[in-house]
Amino acid sequence: MQTRVSGRELLRDVVVMEGIVKVYPGGTVALRGVDFSLRYGEIHCLLGENGAGKTTLMKILAGSLRPDLGRVVVKGEEVRFRSPADAAKLGIGMVHQHFSLIPSFTVAENIVLGYPEEGVRQKLKLDIEVLAEEIRRFSEDVGLPVNPNALTRELPAGMKQRVEILRLLYRRADVLILDEPTSILTPLEVGELFKALRKLKAQGKTIVLVTHKPREALAIADRITVLRRGRVAARIEDPGEIDESGLAELIVGERVATSVSKVGNLARGVRRPALTVKDLYVLDDRGVEAVKGLDLELYEGEILGVAGVVGNGQRELVEAILGLRRPVKGRITLLGVEVTGKPVGEVISLGLAYIPEERLLRGVSTELSVAENLVVKQYGKEPFCRRYLINVKLIKEFARGAVREYNIVAPDINSPVKFLSGGNIQRLIIARELSLNPRVVIAEQPTAGLDVKATNFVHEKLIELRNRGVAVLLISADLDEILKLSDRIAVISGGRIVKVYDCVEAIDLRELSEYMLGIRR
Amino acid sequence: MGSGEEGAVERAIVRRYRILYMSYPVIAVALSIAILALVMYLIGVDPIKGLRTLFYSSFGNAYYVTETLVRATPILMVSLGLMFAFSAGVWNIGAEGQLYIGGVAAAVTAISLGWLPPPIPLIVAWVAGGVAGALWAFPPAALKAKYGINEVFTTLMLNYVAIYFVSYLLHGPLMNPTTLFPETVTLPESSWLPRVVPGYRLHAGTIALFAVFVPLTYLVIKRTPVGFNLRLVGSNPELARSCGINIGRQVMLTLMLSGFFAGLSGANEVTGVVLKMRPDISPGYGYMGIAVALLGRLNPVGIALASIFMAGVVNGSYTISMMLKIPIGIAQFTQGLLIVIITLGELLIRRLTEARKAPVELKPGGGG
Ligand SMILES: Nc1ncnc2c1ncn2[C@@H]1O[C@H](COP(=O)(O)OP(=O)(O)O)[C@@H](O)[C@H]1O
Ligand SMILES: [Mg+2]
């Protein structure tokens, strides 16, 4: 496996990784011998589906994980990073999938945080004004201007990302790793980001862009590496020679087709509303109004996609509908019954199913068994419970059936759910919720973190429900998903539905982005 | 990696996890015995001989066995109640205080109703003991349910309040007027728990506990929605909430239920063993119950076995220190040490077997 790095490569490549193997403590083999290289001054896309090992590989390069086997050569020298600080010394910096900024700090504070060298910070006292001015000048010099005094919490996602990048540049990083930076951005913001990346490239920076979207790779990459299940599936030297579907095939390895298709929309006239929200106001945990005057109508037999940047009141809206959060004002009607402020149990029994965003927090109990998790919403009811006693045999029978029907891969039905993978946990949740024969389903980020196969499964199930006449409220940060599944799209921004598209086909993405970002109302 | 291979790795992890998880009670018992041996060695007793004596004086003949069961009774009673609370993730550390309050309530009731015909004073005394224990658990329960105040602190601190309050009563209004000892008068015979075998202290409470309470609590925790609710709340309150379970009500219910059991445990000692209320009615049954509930894996059958083990160690170490003329403090010290070790060990093993931490070897290569 050890191929020697040649002299020519040394001059050309800023990073060479060879034969990288990484096994997580739980036994997951994330990388199975990966070779990866970066040339000076290129934009390199690392492409692969969820779980392919992209984050793991990049964390190794950035020094926050250590490989079990293999070697890493940076700028001609073999390195063994013990921490991200070691990597930073050689100019390597990473922006992680989740923001690592402190929300209550200003932009300038976040940028200099933890970088106690030179300049203003040598004095004991931090001069905020000097600092802010320095950051303003710095950000303009590199072509990514920011307002240094803005409070980080109040910035849109695209700006937060810019702050993260500036943080790295300020530490003189010349190899920038961005882990799935586009997943939380609107198309408009993605465009801005790509513009910024091209500027950085012109300044001689080397950039790794991690993504699972072929379209993005084709839009910006000089070279592409495709990872699949911990191995390199392809190295593409010239992205001009391949197209989106070619890349998609390389990512998945085989063609996966969605087998269920939407049958035509039910005629407008006979549509019956399943869920109506009128002039709703809901507070968030901090006591701030997160939903302010929201109106929404969901009909039977449709998928209504709620598009919006995370944190615009989606969570509070869902919790209010479920009865988990009491609205301060407004009216929620579910299947003709007013449910505003009603307890959860009552709302569920009307026929409301919920596929929550935080699977481990709200979707399952990891300590309880697969069988138990499958019945957490009905063990107290017939036929599972008769005369105060639970029928364990029946529950096991039911669980075996569900495991078979939904292809849940589990050691056995009695093992705790903590041993299941994310995709299988989601299958379990869907099996449970659908076994309740719901008439309305709320699906919150239902495919976040799932691989292509599991994602397709979830999509098929949602479409099946819709075809059977169930009303589906789909809340997703993934615009592609919304566009693919929805019959209608509602855009949520600032706690309000600012736009409803009744026809998905002719949507102008730029306009949609502007609604999402609150530029247009 | 094919899905078959993935399944195999997962099954291996589960197997390891189960072995680790199931083997700890055995390890804990072995560890306890090792500690007993070590203590004996340190105070100059031959450990082999010492352990043999210990075993003999707890299980060696019919009399010792019944004595061990009598000792196990209050521990088991406390522990079955704690099982409900612990299953729901509610850490009631206040069983000791609840037991004292239950004991004094039962004694007062029995003494004042002694003129009534037999089983009435006994039954009312038990009910009074249980209710008093539950009420003593009410403030922590309400504070936890309403304001989320950590029940560990409140229940623990109320132990001292309870024990000193009872001590005040026994040195004051309830003091035996003839002997002037700090204890109540002997309970009227109409409130005594019937003895089962003449000449032995084995009483109806022990029999009822093992024959009725253990199966009954097993049914409740494993086979009823009530028990399932508790386990759901204990393992993921957020999920429980979105399944429509009222968390506050579950907290109130379990904390007061475990207080009720601890109170019954006090009533049991007063009406079955000591026949009066005394300031030393419990050598720490409330704390032993914690260790026993954990060692028994929150399963009534396991808890019954663990309580017998704990009772054997308690009785054995008392007998040994009398026989070998070792200060009784050593026995108490050893018991305390065991409680700490078993409790910590159980908590540690829970932590170690939490999500995906069981070690698994890596097979080099692997499919593609
Ligand atoms: N901290 C971790 N512990 C155990 N397994 C992990 C951990 N992080 C990632 N994995 C597993 O390693 C594999 C690769 O994950 P990751 O590198 O995050 O993939 P990607 O970024 O391409 O989605 C997945 O199977 C994932 O479940
Ligand atoms: Mg990742």
Side-chain angles (χ1 to χ4, degrees):
Chain A
M1 194 179 277
Q2 288 285 36
T3 48
R4 291 256 73 100
V5 181
S6 75
R8 241 183 59 219
E9 281 164 353
L10 276 185
L11 288 177
R12 192 190 63 189
D13 293 343
V14 56
V15 167
V16 178
M17 300 173 85
E18 275 182 348
I20 305 291
V21 171
K22 176 70 195 179
V23 184
Y24 280 108
T28 311
V29 188
L31 299 173
R32 302 170 174 274
V34 170
D35 298 342
F36 179 78
S37 68
L38 280 179
R39 289 187 193 151
Y40 283 100
E42 73 171 342
I43 296 182
H44 193 123
C45 272
L46 184 58
L47 199 57
E49 66 167 320
N50 268 306
K54 308 180 295 290
T55 299
T56 307
L57 185 68
M58 288 303 104
K59 278 186 176 168
I60 289 172
L61 179 55
S64 48
L65 279 179
R66 268 181 255 180
D68 293 304
L69 285 175
R71 57 193 210 121
V72 181
V73 179
V74 176
K75 297 174 183 169
E77 288 201 38
E78 182 159 351
V79 292
R80 265 173 228 284
F81 296 142
R82 318 192 110 256
S83 73
D86 288 351
K89 273 183 213 134
L90 287 180
I92 299 176
M94 177 159 172
V95 176
H96 291 271
Q97 227 158 331
H98 303 284
F99 291 125
S100 54
L101 302 173
I102 299 179
S104 58
F105 276 25
T106 66
V107 167
E109 286 166 341
N110 260 310
I111 290 176
V112 299
L113 182 73
Y115 186 62
E117 283 159 41
E118 344 169 16
V120 267
R121 283 148 318 283
Q122 246 171 17
K123 296 181 215 128
L124 277 174
K125 193 160 157 285
L126 205 87
D127 189 331
I128 299 293
E129 270 160 43
V130 173
L131 177 70
E133 197 40 47
E134 185 186 306
I135 295 296
R136 183 194 308 282
R137 220 174 315 115
F138 173 75
S139 71
E140 279 160 10
D141 286 348
V142 295
L144 304 171
V146 287
N147 170 9
N149 297 315
L151 209 55
T152 310
R153 185 191 309 132
E154 285 156 10
L155 296 179
M159 263 307 164
K160 281 186 193 151
Q161 211 135 46
R162 180 174 286 197
V163 175
E164 294 257 20
I165 294 172
L166 283 168
R167 241 177 95 84
L168 299 184
L169 295 173
Y170 194 71
R171 286 159 178 68
R172 303 213 175 82
D174 50 16
V175 176
L176 305 175
I177 304 166
L178 310 179
D179 194 0
E180 308 240 14
T182 60
S183 57
I184 43 158
L185 301 183
T186 64
L188 202 65
E189 289 171 313
V190 172
E192 291 282 309
L193 174 71
F194 284 4
K195 245 185 259 165
L197 295 186
R198 289 198 189 95
K199 266 187 216 159
L200 292 175
K201 179 186 156 184
Q203 293 163 31
K205 306 284 184 193
T206 307
I207 296 160
V208 186
L209 181 80
V210 179
T211 175
H212 61 265
K213 295 182 178 162
R215 181 165 17 97
E216 291 173 359
L218 290 174
I220 194 164
D222 297 313
R223 290 197 306 152
I224 300 171
T225 299
V226 181
L227 274 190
R228 185 165 75 220
R229 284 176 224 144
R231 293 179 194 285
V232 175
R235 260 179 269 276
I236 293 147
E237 297 289 330
D238 180 5
E241 287 174 357
I242 193 159
D243 63 0
E244 249 182 73
S245 65
L247 272 181
E249 217 169 306
L250 285 173
I251 292 173
V252 186
E254 70 210 66
R255 280 202 179 276
V256 242
T258 332
S259 62
V260 180
S261 58
K262 288 200 267 185
V263 293
N265 272 358
L266 298 169
R268 226 338 89 71
V270 298
R271 289 194 146 197
R272 279 180 304 176
L275 172 70
T276 312
V277 178
K278 273 247 157 345
D279 197 31
L280 190 72
Y281 287 80
V282 188
L283 304 183
D284 68 10
D285 289 336
R286 289 180 296 155
V288 179
E289 264 181 8
V291 173
K292 336 177 203 191
L294 185 142
D295 292 297
L296 183 89
E297 191 119 42
L298 171 69
Y299 295 99
E300 291 186 348
E302 74 164 352
I303 297 179
L304 174 64
V306 177
V309 176
V310 174
N312 272 276
Q314 294 96 323
R315 162 191 296 256
E316 289 77 12
L317 168 65
V318 169
E319 290 184 346
I321 296 172
L322 283 160
L324 288 170
R325 198 179 276 272
R326 188 175 278 278
V328 283
K329 197 177 144 208
R331 217 178 143 84
I332 303 169
T333 314
L334 182 68
L335 299 163
V337 181
E338 180 170 357
V339 293
T340 326
K342 288 265 167 68
V344 190
E346 225 167 286
V347 181
I348 294 175
S349 60
L350 284 173
L352 178 66
Y354 175 42
I355 301 170
E357 173 178 3
E358 283 135 353
R359 265 163 240 152
L360 296 183
L361 207 70
R362 217 174 245 181
V364 289
S365 165
T366 50
E367 295 298 322
L368 295 184
S369 73
V370 171
E372 289 169 325
N373 269 288
L374 277 165
V375 295
V376 283
K377 286 196 174 164
Q378 41 183 336
Y379 56 79
K381 303 194 184 103
E382 295 261 357
F384 296 111
C385 178
R386 274 223 181 103
R387 293 217 200 94
Y388 308 110
L389 280 194
I390 285 178
N391 186 340
V392 175
K393 229 176 89 193
L394 192 65
I395 288 181
K396 291 199 168 158
E397 226 166 83
F398 170 77
R400 263 182 229 113
V403 164
R404 223 175 305 121
E405 186 183 342
Y406 287 85
N407 279 321
I408 302 168
V409 178
D412 60 65
I413 58 167
N414 300 316
S415 59
V417 160
K418 62 184 165 193
F419 295 116
L420 269 58
S421 70
N424 284 305
I425 288 176
Q426 190 70 325
R427 281 167 195 267
L428 188 158
I429 293 170
I430 290 175
R432 175 182 75 216
E433 297 298 319
L434 297 199
S435 73
L436 300 168
N437 287 321
R439 292 177 58 197
V440 180
V441 174
I442 299 180
E444 226 178 354
Q445 321 290 356
T447 59
L450 301 188
D451 63 23
V452 173
K453 233 172 101 194
T455 299
N456 274 343
F457 173 82
V458 174
H459 287 174
E460 278 169 22
K461 285 293 166 195
L462 292 180
I463 292 172
E464 250 175 62
L465 284 169
R466 165 203 179 272
N467 290 350
R468 286 211 320 256
V470 174
V472 179
L473 188 67
L474 169 67
I475 292 161
S476 177
D478 181 350
L479 209 47
D480 291 339
E481 177 168 79
I482 296 254
L483 290 169
K484 179 179 163 201
L485 296 179
S486 307
D487 296 298
R488 294 189 302 137
I489 293 178
V491 184
I492 190 170
S493 171
R496 213 172 312 174
I497 300 295
V498 292
K499 170 82 182 164
V500 177
Y501 291 96
D502 281 321
C503 173
V504 179
E505 279 72 32
I507 282 184
D508 172 3
L509 282 183
R510 193 185 168 82
E511 187 194 275
L512 179 62
S513 301
E514 285 174 359
Y515 277 117
M516 285 168 73
L517 291 171
I519 300 169
R520 228 182 234 258
R521 339 216 62 188
Chain B
M1 193 192 258
S3 65
E5 192 190 333
E6 262 167 52
V9 170
E10 281 166 2
R11 266 191 294 277
I13 294 174
V14 175
R15 213 173 309 118
R16 265 154 204 269
Y17 156 86
R18 283 197 178 136
I19 292 170
L20 186 64
Y21 192 70
M22 294 323 291
S23 62
Y24 184 73
V26 180
I27 299 174
V29 169
L31 197 68
S32 309
I33 293 172
I35 287 170
L36 287 171
L38 182 70
V39 171
M40 289 173 188
Y41 173 77
L42 289 177
I43 58 174
V45 176
D46 175 12
I48 306 273
K49 224 179 96 201
L51 284 178
R52 198 177 293 149
T53 318
L54 186 119
F55 182 79
Y56 182 79
S57 53
S58 45
F59 301 105
N61 61 33
Y63 177 74
Y64 285 144
V65 168
T66 58
E67 277 301 295
T68 298
L69 289 179
V70 167
R71 179 75 75 185
T73 305
I75 305 176
L76 177 54
M77 187 76 94
V78 163
S79 200
L80 287 177
L82 292 179
M83 170 187 76
F84 289 108
F86 291 179
S87 298
V90 175
W91 298 99
N92 179 8
I93 310 298
E96 185 75 358
Q98 293 145 14
L99 184 154
Y100 269 85
I101 296 296
V104 85
V108 169
T109 315
I111 291 165
S112 47
L113 296 183
W115 49 275
L116 284 166
I120 296 176
L122 175 65
I123 292 170
V124 179
W126 271 57
V127 171
V131 169
L135 287 179
W136 196 252
F138 176 76
L143 287 171
K144 165 91 172 173
K146 195 114 189 51
Y147 301 107
I149 291 174
N150 192 325
E151 73 281 10
V152 171
F153 300 116
T154 46
T155 53
L156 180 65
M157 291 190 293
L158 278 178
N159 280 348
Y160 299 102
V161 181
I163 292 167
Y164 290 126
F165 176 61
V166 169
S167 166
Y168 152 73
L169 290 179
L170 295 177
H171 283 90
L174 296 181
M175 185 189 273
N176 186 327
T178 44
T179 63
L180 293 183
F181 282 139
E183 55 186 36
T184 64
V185 294
T186 302
L187 264 49
E189 232 171 291
S190 56
S191 64
W192 291 3
L193 273 168
R195 298 270 152 97
V196 180
V197 193
Y200 291 83
R201 291 203 302 169
L202 191 64
H203 55 78
T206 309
I207 306 298
L209 190 59
F210 279 92
V212 181
F213 274 65
V214 168
L216 204 67
T217 49
Y218 184 89
L219 216 59
V220 170
I221 197 86
K222 297 282 182 197
R223 291 289 158 92
T224 66
V226 176
F228 203 118
N229 281 351
L230 297 184
R231 286 189 288 137
L232 181 55
V233 170
S235 64
N236 187 347
E238 191 60 27
L239 172 65
R241 223 161 74 80
S242 55
C243 289
I245 294 176
N246 183 335
I247 308 281
R249 197 156 67 202
Q250 299 290 323
V251 169
M252 292 292 294
L253 177 79
T254 51
L255 241 171
M256 292 183 67
L257 189 66
S258 57
F260 185 83
F261 272 70
L264 286 188
S265 178
N268 174 75
E269 287 306 280
V270 166
T271 58
V273 182
V274 186
L275 305 180
K276 57 181 84 155
M277 183 63 192
R278 298 193 359 192
D280 59 352
I281 192 88
S282 158
Y285 296 139
Y287 299 109
M288 294 177 195
I290 297 172
V292 163
L294 292 172
L295 185 62
R297 281 287 148 72
L298 305 183
N299 175 326
V301 178
I303 289 174
L305 293 175
S307 71
I308 294 174
F309 171 73
M310 183 60 85
V313 170
V314 172
N315 274 4
S317 54
Y318 281 147
T319 317
I320 265 198
S321 55
M322 276 189 296
M323 279 166 59
L324 302 175
K325 306 222 163 37
I326 303 161
I328 194 108
I330 292 288
Q332 285 158 347
F333 160 77
T334 314
Q335 289 164 20
L337 193 62
L338 290 189
I339 292 174
V340 172
I341 296 221
I342 291 173
T343 307
L344 285 184
E346 272 298 327
L347 295 176
L348 187 68
I349 209 78
R350 276 169 171 239
R351 190 43 61 82
L352 287 180
T353 52
E354 259 165 26
R356 292 181 191 267
K357 280 197 183 138
V360 150
E361 310 110 304
L362 154 72
K363 278 197 226 105

